[in-house]
Amino acid sequence: DARVTQTPRHKVTEMGQEVTMRCQPILGHNTVFWYRQTMMQGLELLAYFRNRAPLDDSGMPKDRFSAEMPDATLATLKIQPSEPRDSAVYFCASGWREFTDTQYFGPGTRLTVL
Amino acid sequence: AQTVTQSQPEMSVQEAETVTLSCTYDTSESDYYLFWYKQPPSRQMILVIRQEAYKQQNATENRFSVNFQKAAKSFSLKISDSQLGDAAMYFCAYRSALYGGSQGNLIFGKGTKLSVKP
């Protein structure tokens, strides 16, 4: 049963620290998405990759957030320095043919920045 | 820009009864996809059902069905024979079907919290 995996599942950190979240998309999928979920904003797109190339990161605060796909099996989302307002659940999702296929979500990383 | 609106923050249904969750959206595109995702307390986002805008036939998945009204830009979810395990947040989502460019992400509504009473 193929699934998107995310690590860590929970992260508590101090303000100013670097946070790295990892995602392993489903094997064979060529699109990866990072979403953030908060009570106030709901679910919003942070970054979107197709064939490992970034297509859209307009939803991401560029001064502190960065997203990469070092290879087809790994996507990373980094926050440096972290701030309390970054506290949220971060979801990774992957898909195959991006305009016709469904996005499958990982279990999310719950981040708390103190 | 496309938007998705779920006007019911919370809904409640008796076990074994039927409930309908509402969703409206705004778009100028003619081809797109619509989805309902379920998010239980575990936070996992689970696909419930999807609908292609070019298909007139409403999608169904077991106890879940949609009423897709393209002209009215409405996409409601009907859950029949509600079960305790259906209790969750339900999100309606839109996705462009345009080829090229960066339109691949899901645009979500704010969600509807469904409670199921035994």
Side-chain angles (χ1 to χ4, degrees):
Chain A
D1 188 20
R3 296 185 182 186
V4 176
T5 59
Q6 289 186 248
T7 56
R9 293 294 307 277
H10 304 272
K11 177 73 176 179
V12 180
T13 191
E14 300 279 336
M15 181 174 63
Q17 296 298 304
E18 177 178 302
V19 175
T20 298
M21 291 170 269
R22 293 177 174 81
C23 166
Q24 182 173 8
I26 293 173
L27 188 65
H29 282 187
N30 69 338
T31 58
V32 172
F33 302 81
W34 284 103
Y35 294 94
R36 177 170 62 184
Q37 185 178 31
T38 61
M39 289 293 293
M40 294 298 294
Q41 300 297 326
L43 282 150
E44 52 184 353
L45 177 74
L46 293 176
Y48 165 27
F49 291 81
R50 187 199 307 164
N51 297 322
R52 296 176 53 200
L55 283 193
D56 186 355
D57 60 2
S58 58
M60 203 163 63
K62 301 294 193 304
D63 57 338
R64 298 184 301 107
F65 284 61
S66 63
E68 295 179 345
M69 280 201 73
D71 60 61
T73 64
L74 177 65
T76 62
L77 180 66
K78 291 185 180 180
I79 308 174
Q80 170 62 26
S82 58
E83 298 180 1
R85 59 179 168 156
D86 301 329
S87 297
V89 180
Y90 291 81
F91 286 101
C92 174
S94 73
W96 179 48
R97 292 162 58 198
E98 64 270 23
F99 295 108
T100 61
D101 204 9
T102 300
Q103 294 179 27
Y104 296 90
F105 282 74
T109 294
R110 178 178 287 279
L111 173 65
T112 302
V113 183
L114 302 174
Chain B
Q2 295 83 17
T3 58
V4 176
T5 302
Q6 294 178 249
S7 59
Q8 307 152 315
E10 295 188 23
M11 292 281 286
S12 181
V13 63
Q14 203 72 33
E15 194 175 8
E17 297 293 308
T18 296
V19 64
T20 299
L21 308 184
S22 301
C23 172
T24 58
Y25 57 95
D26 188 26
T27 184
S28 59
E29 297 173 343
S30 60
D31 200 11
Y32 47 86
Y33 301 93
L34 296 165
F35 304 84
W36 279 98
Y37 279 88
K38 171 185 177 181
Q39 187 178 42
S42 67
R43 297 199 312 268
Q44 178 72 54
M45 295 288 286
I46 302 165
L47 176 69
V48 175
I49 201 165
R50 59 175 277 166
Q51 174 81 41
E52 290 89 346
Y54 63 86
K55 290 186 177 179
Q56 292 186 330
Q57 186 174 6
N58 289 324
T60 61
E61 286 288 344
N62 301 312
R63 298 183 294 108
F64 298 88
S65 61
V66 298
N67 184 5
F68 173 48
Q69 302 289 328
K70 191 172 184 179
K73 296 180 182 175
S74 172
F75 183 61
S76 60
L77 175 70
K78 185 172 81 171
I79 306 174
S80 303
D81 185 25
S82 297
Q83 300 176 359
L84 295 178
D86 295 333
M89 283 289 289
Y90 286 83
F91 292 94
C92 178
Y94 170 102
R95 183 180 195 183
S96 172
L98 287 176
Y99 284 83
S102 62
Q103 299 98 328
N105 59 290
L106 292 166
I107 299 168
F108 289 92
K110 294 296 187 184
T112 296
K113 184 177 181 180
L114 178 66
S115 301
V116 181
K117 299 177 181 177

